[in-house]
Amino acid sequence: AYTGAARLDQVTNWPDIFLICEQETSKYGRGIKELSAGHTFVVGMQTPDIDNNDFDNNVGDYTDYQTDMQVGWAHLKTAAPTPQARNHGLFRHQADTLPSPKTPELLSDAADKAPASLQQLRGKRPIYAVLLGGLIDSEHRFHHSNWYDYADEKQLVRDNLTALIDQVAAQAAKDNGAVVVTTSHRSPHQFSALISDRLTAVPHVFYDWSQKRGSQNPYHAMLALADQIVVTSDSLSMTADALATGKPVFSFLAQEKRAGEQPRKLPARLRQTAMIKPETACYLSAQAAQGRGFPMAQLGNRRLKIPPRVDGAKTIAEAITQAHGAYRYERAAPRQTIGTPMAPRRSTTRP
């Protein structure tokens, strides 16, 4: 939409809709809104990092005066209004499922092109996939990112990673199946050897992201070939990808002790602190309530009923299109009101 213009204030062909996400992009949304004289409909994609338990009244500074529509996720406590309903001058929409680009077509193609190591596991069913994020939200839990420099934090991560791999490997051995594991950029790469060692008793493929930096990543093929998928509950994006497959998805939530063990004496800084952000936990609970996620105790259950796959991106796009149509109608007929009366926008200055 910007071809031929060196600067934003020289653009004449403004887009109809512009998406922003998080604070870094909000300034562009406000600039484009002003420079396009209101032509561009700016949509803010809600981030779980914002305190959003009160979606109607706690909009957050980065949305005020900068977006026309706010998209949030289903774990929010307030009732979801229609896309036409207005509050603080914003169109609102709450999505049931996070969007994921993992379409059935993409996964089918990935299965056909799976590397030989994965192809060799096709005869071993079921295949359990383990998607490792950070395991524990270290910034939220430990209040520092270099947790591996602290013995207590390191042991806590080690214990939970061991418990996760052991449970999945034991289930695969019981079912005469196989395990595929992939780490990500937030995974504790210090324990790559531990993962490999604890998988030796079962057929498996382990992709260590820290060693290969994403090269020839079989992530899509793992999603495609897996019969059941385990995701560490700190990762919303990988949870969304797993749910998009329409297969049973199990969330592994880190614990302060392993089953059957006495709780260790944790330092005061680690007590009574959630392993993941409350917003993330709420979203996972909402998915479980809809039958789209299961606890680890159900791993291996082949009789689980999975609701039809939800295309989160499609439902959000439809809501944005609907709200954009209402917005254009308002601009063409400013005396008409859509939905609830528009409240004045709040100041972005906090007391």
Side-chain angles (χ1 to χ4, degrees):
Y2 307 140
T3 53
R7 304 186 325 184
L8 281 180
D9 57 4
Q10 297 174 345
V11 175
T12 57
N13 183 26
W14 291 102
D16 294 325
I17 299 173
F18 185 75
L19 303 182
I20 65 173
C21 184
E22 306 209 23
Q23 297 182 14
E24 285 301 312
T25 57
S26 64
K27 55 188 176 184
Y28 299 106
R30 181 175 183 176
I32 288 175
K33 186 72 186 171
E34 293 176 353
L35 292 171
S36 69
H39 170 81
T40 300
F41 184 69
V42 180
V43 181
M45 305 298 290
Q46 181 79 3
T47 165
D49 292 340
I50 290 178
D51 181 7
N52 50 18
N53 284 329
D54 190 356
F55 192 48
D56 287 332
N57 298 311
N58 198 352
V59 178
D61 284 351
Y62 97 97
T63 58
D64 287 349
Y65 291 100
Q66 298 172 23
T67 65
D68 301 295
M69 179 179 184
Q70 185 69 3
V71 175
W73 312 131
H75 65 277
L76 306 180
K77 295 178 180 178
T78 52
T82 63
Q84 290 85 1
R86 303 296 290 269
N87 195 311
H88 299 304
L90 291 171
F91 289 88
R92 316 306 297 248
H93 175 71
Q94 287 177 309
D96 288 333
T97 304
L98 287 166
S100 170
K102 311 313 182 214
T103 63
E105 295 77 18
L106 182 149
L107 296 178
S108 176
D109 183 64
D112 293 338
K113 298 177 181 177
S117 57
L118 285 176
Q119 295 285 6
Q120 292 173 2
L121 296 181
R122 281 182 178 270
K124 290 286 185 180
R125 293 291 180 175
I127 295 177
Y128 295 98
V130 180
L131 315 181
L132 289 174
L135 205 73
I136 294 172
D137 193 313
S138 58
E139 290 287 356
H140 178 73
R141 170 70 175 179
F142 304 140
H143 308 296
H144 49 254
S145 57
N146 59 326
W147 54 266
Y148 40 81
D149 288 335
Y150 298 80
D152 291 298
E153 282 94 327
K154 191 171 183 178
Q155 188 62 46
L156 193 62
V157 175
R158 178 189 292 274
D159 287 348
N160 279 279
L161 183 58
T162 301
L164 168 57
I165 300 300
D166 283 356
Q167 181 179 353
V168 178
Q171 189 65 52
K174 177 182 176 182
D175 297 338
N176 195 31
V179 180
V180 294
V181 179
T182 180
T183 60
S184 63
H185 69 99
R186 288 190 291 108
S187 299
H189 63 271
Q190 295 85 354
F191 300 130
S192 294
L194 180 147
I195 296 172
S196 295
D197 291 344
R198 306 198 83 85
L199 289 172
T200 54
V202 294
H204 70 276
V205 170
F206 172 41
Y207 179 83
D208 186 356
W209 190 94
S210 67
Q211 296 297 318
K212 301 182 180 180
R213 298 293 178 185
S215 63
Q216 299 179 336
N217 193 336
Y219 178 64
H220 290 157
M222 288 182 174
L223 289 174
L225 296 176
D227 297 293
Q228 297 193 358
I229 304 173
V230 177
V231 190
T232 54
S233 56
D234 64 291
S235 177
L236 278 176
S237 60
M238 289 198 297
T239 297
D241 290 345
L243 290 170
T245 67
K247 299 173 183 179
V249 176
F250 305 83
S251 294
F252 178 82
L253 180 61
Q255 304 293 327
E256 291 190 355
K257 68 182 184 70
R258 298 185 63 179
E261 290 183 354
Q262 293 297 318
R264 290 186 296 109
K265 254 193 167 179
L266 294 173
R269 68 179 181 277
L270 299 184
R271 295 182 198 140
Q272 305 300 319
T273 306
M275 296 288 188
I276 58 175
K277 294 178 182 178
E279 294 86 352
T280 305
C282 287
Y283 179 78
L284 294 173
S285 296
Q287 294 301 306
Q290 298 174 29
R292 301 188 185 281
F294 302 94
M296 290 294 293
Q298 291 288 324
L299 186 69
N301 186 345
R302 304 188 193 187
R303 297 182 180 180
L304 297 172
K305 294 182 179 179
I306 312 299
R309 178 183 180 274
V310 175
D311 190 336
K314 182 179 179 181
T315 56
I316 291 173
E318 290 173 347
I320 292 174
T321 300
Q322 187 178 357
H324 178 241
Y327 174 79
R328 291 183 63 184
Y329 180 77
E330 281 187 344
R331 282 174 54 81
R335 294 186 179 183
Q336 299 291 326
T337 59
I338 305 294
T340 57
M342 184 188 300
R345 290 182 183 260
R346 299 182 299 141
S347 169
T348 60
T349 304
R350 287 184 173 174

